Every structure is written in structure tokens, then in C-alpha cells.
Amino acid sequence: MGIFGRSKVTAGLDIGSGFVKLVVVDHSRGDPEIVKIATGPLVQDAIVEGEIMDPVLVAETVRTVVDNAELSRAEVVAAVGGHDVIIKKIQMDRMGHEEARDLIRWEAHQHVPFDMESVQLDFQILDPDGSGPQMSVLLVAAKRELIENRLALLADAGLRAAVVDVNAFALHNAFEHSYPDSMVGVVALVNIGHETTNMSIMEDGIPVVVRDIPFGSRRIREALQRERGLTAERAEAVLQGGEDGVDLEGFVAERVDELAVGIERAVAFITAQSGGDGVDRVFLSGGGSQVPGVARALADRLGVTTHIANPLERVAVSADVNLKVAVDEVAPMLMLPVGLAMRRA
Ligand SMILES: Nc1ncnc2c1ncn2[C@@H]1O[C@H](COP(=O)(O)OP(=O)(O)OP(=O)(O)O)[C@@H](O)[C@H]1O
Ligand SMILES: [Mg+2]
């Protein structure tokens, strides 16, 4: 309970294609504390390539997860991402925030390949204290339809959105909280999910290249099914480390190549722009980072050490978080929902 009995609790909801995840953070004391964690698997193909194919089923799964967490209020912080969200660092004439707000639509017009009428914009001046004639601005454009669909889905699950954030910012938020010392140099944050990898390359803590790569644990599972004749269940068990007798490491190395290429391209883009000699550190998160061999294969391929980032590294977790499995087991999957719940709604 906060002052005047008003609850200062934020619920972060991440609707992934593999799992729906909910993290509830209590902000009423000085440091944030996680008081609830709930996850629930989604039925195969309910979400494909970021698109919600079966809204009824997804809303039901969300409802189940929310009920498991015994959420007392219907308000959540949610997020959108994918092709219909563009994050871009741009340069524009130096001006104040208010003035920039008036001009941002016109500026965005030159950088965003969407119909400006149907787009929601947000921005942040990255160097407000700078003095040059130009300033760096992080521009965010999201198709309005994407946000409306997300709100409708939440409504179907009996929820309201306090805020609709952007996936990449939530990941950044959680990462910065647990790894404040990694806000220097070129750092890659690579969140490997079930279908999608959210990649964010930061330069001194500012996300300069933000991109989704169509790669996830599903890709490895399907390759196991196809090339080794495993059933979907068995292949999934192998991925989750529960079955021996399959040489996963070599198999994974080949599949991870595509992901490595995506990261290399982004890093090459940055070094071409601002010099330097490549990526300093790579942090992995997401369920896909848990697949045996993935972290090592990426490290070998990129020639950099990879670290598994734990979004709970510096966040207190309440003793009665009420989770059926060990917190450590789900932690890697929670980077995004933790980042959402860290916001004081
Ligand atoms: N312990 C584990 N070991 C290996 N893999 C795991 C483990 N736990 C989960 N996974 C894999 O991670 C996937 C889920 O990861 P995550 O929750 O990050 O993805 P998602 O957010 O649902 O998907 P996306 O963001 O791509 O839509 C599962 O589909 C599973 O294959
Ligand atoms: Mg995800």
C-alpha cells in the first residue's frame, strides 16, 4: 500500500508468440520489488510473425495468466513492436522540445515509410544540452492500427492499458536497471524469443540500431523435427535441455548463423558511421538464449564473449511471488515484462 492507500503497483504484460508473461512490480517502497510473476504458453500458431491470428484464444490465454497472478486491478502496461514500429535516430535543427513537437511529423515524413495519417509518433531529444546547429533525436513511429488492435485485445481480456510502450524501450529499460555499468561503448542486447529476436545495439547507452530478426527457438525446433525426425514435443524437450542423446551444439551453430549475420550488419553500420572497432559486449536474453549451444555458437561466430542477461539481477523478488517453478528458470524470458513493470504507471 502506498500513501492514502493508493496502490503503486505496475503490471507489465508481454504477449509473446510462445509465452504470455506478466510481471507485477510494487513501487510503493524506495526500490521496486517484484510481487507477482505469471506465465502461460500460447497455442501453436496463435501468433505468427508477430501477427495475432487467433485473438479470442490469445485473449483467453492472457486472461488465464492475469487470473493466476490474482491481479487486483485491470490496468496493465503493454507494448508493441515488429514491422509496424520504426525507431530511428535522426538529425534535425536544434530547437526546444515544444517546438520539436510541432515539427516532428514533418521530419518523420522524410524518415518513415508509413502513411503519416495513420501513424502515432513519439520522440526524444538525445542531446538536449548540446550546442551544435543540429541535434540527435530518437524518433518512434507506430502504426495506429497496431496500437488499436492491441487495445482491443486487452479489452477482450478485460484489461485496460495504462501505457502502450515499445518493445525495444522496455527491453532497454530493464537492461539498464540491472546492468547500469553497461551503458558505455557498443553493447548489443539480443532478446531471442520463440519466433523473433529483438536486437538493440547501443552506443553509450543510446539505442542506435533497433531491429527485429526473424529468428527464434521455434526455428531450431522445426529444424530438429524436419531433419532429425523428432516429434514437436520431443524437439521442444531437447531445446529445453530435458533430453539427451541429440548433439544439439553443432546443430544449433548452423542455425544461429543467420542471427549472427543480423548482428554483424548492424554493428558494421554503426562502426561505418562513428568509427570504433565493433561490438564490445553482447548480452543475451529471451527463452531462446536458454537453448543449449546458442550462447556459445554466437560467441564463436561473433568473436566476442556473450553474457546471459538476467533482468532480475538488481531487482528484489518478493518471497511470496507465487510461482510454480524456480524464478531463475523463467528469469531469462522476463526482460521485456520486467522493463514494462518498472514504469510507474
Ligand atoms: N529452459 C529453456 N530452455 C530452452 N529453451 C527454452 C527454455 N524455456 C523456454 N525456452 C524456449 O523459449 C521460448 C520462449 O521464449 P520467450 O518467452 O522469450 O519468447 P516469446 O516472447 O514468447 O516469443 P516472441 O517474442 O518471439 O514472440 C519457448 O518457445 C521455448 O522454445
Ligand atoms: Mg518475446
Side-chain angles (χ1 to χ4, degrees):
M1 278 297 193
I3 44 167
F4 307 125
R6 205 165 163 262
S7 134
K8 286 186 186 165
V9 162
T10 308
L13 175 69
D14 171 19
I15 305 173
S17 61
F19 284 85
V20 172
K21 299 164 279 281
L22 184 80
V23 170
V24 183
V25 167
D26 184 351
H27 294 277
S28 63
R29 269 159 292 179
D31 291 325
E33 183 187 29
I34 294 179
V35 289
K36 289 275 165 54
I37 298 172
T39 68
L42 264 176
V43 168
Q44 173 89 313
D45 292 333
I47 300 179
V48 177
E49 289 169 22
E51 201 176 326
I52 297 183
M53 310 304 275
D54 192 336
V56 175
L57 202 67
V58 176
E60 262 172 37
T61 307
V62 168
R63 192 66 239 169
T64 307
V65 169
V66 166
D67 287 344
N68 284 345
E70 295 169 337
L71 205 62
S72 56
R73 291 197 312 164
E75 210 166 63
V76 296
V77 176
V80 291
H83 303 301
D84 292 340
V85 178
I86 286 182
I87 299 169
K88 211 165 177 179
K89 188 177 155 193
I90 63 168
Q91 300 292 315
M92 59 189 275
D93 289 343
R94 183 164 295 285
M95 62 186 78
H97 196 271
E98 287 308 306
E99 228 183 314
R101 182 184 300 284
D102 293 337
L103 279 178
I104 200 71
R105 195 156 283 272
W106 188 83
E107 287 287 342
H109 186 254
Q110 308 173 58
H111 297 280
V112 176
F114 298 157
D115 169 20
M116 277 299 128
E117 293 300 307
S118 61
V119 109
Q120 193 112 358
L121 295 174
D122 200 355
F123 71 99
Q124 192 191 343
I125 300 172
L126 295 172
D127 55 347
D129 303 323
S131 56
Q134 297 260 296
M135 62 183 188
S136 300
V137 171
L138 197 63
L139 175 70
V140 186
K143 283 197 186 161
R144 202 165 278 142
E145 196 191 354
L146 179 71
I147 299 169
E148 281 161 5
N149 288 346
R150 182 48 50 96
L151 294 177
L153 176 75
L154 293 176
D156 286 344
L159 299 169
R160 280 189 315 275
V163 179
V164 178
D165 201 346
V166 172
N167 284 346
F169 292 163
L171 290 168
H172 185 269
N173 195 18
F175 181 70
E176 184 173 25
H177 190 91
S178 276
Y179 297 87
D181 302 336
S182 293
M183 295 290 125
V184 288
V186 178
V187 175
L189 190 56
V190 182
N191 185 60
I192 310 170
H194 176 246
E195 278 203 325
T196 306
T197 294
N198 318 112
M199 175 190 66
S200 174
I201 318 274
M202 298 178 288
E203 212 175 5
D204 293 335
I206 293 170
V208 272
V209 181
V210 177
R211 211 161 284 162
D212 280 349
I213 300 171
F215 177 87
S217 57
R218 175 181 184 157
R219 186 74 67 85
I220 305 173
R221 193 204 68 210
E222 285 175 348
L224 277 173
Q225 289 175 245
R226 203 173 48 239
E227 292 167 36
R228 299 283 169 89
L230 302 185
T231 62
E233 291 71 29
R234 175 98 204 280
E236 187 62 38
V238 169
L239 286 193
Q240 301 200 13
E243 296 237 357
D244 295 329
V246 179
D247 160 39
L248 206 50
E249 304 247 337
F251 192 79
V252 160
E254 260 174 66
R255 304 304 172 302
V256 157
D257 203 63
E258 193 179 351
L259 185 53
V261 168
I263 299 169
E264 275 173 341
R265 281 208 190 119
V267 171
F269 173 80
I270 292 176
T271 46
Q273 276 200 329
S274 52
D277 38 33
V279 63
D280 297 315
R281 268 160 300 167
V282 175
F283 286 89
L284 306 179
S285 64
S289 71
Q290 299 300 100
V291 175
V294 164
R296 170 110 63 86
L298 264 181
D300 289 349
R301 180 67 172 64
L302 295 170
V304 215
T305 322
T306 50
H307 311 268
I308 300 287
N310 176 7
L312 309 179
E313 184 74 13
R314 293 200 183 195
V315 191
V317 180
S318 158
D320 39 47
V321 70
N322 196 20
L323 195 66
K324 287 184 195 77
V325 297
V327 173
D328 288 347
E329 231 171 90
V330 287
M333 286 163 55
L334 301 180
M335 189 64 86
L336 208 163
V338 165
L340 295 173
M342 292 305 261
R343 274 178 177 270
R344 282 165 171 270

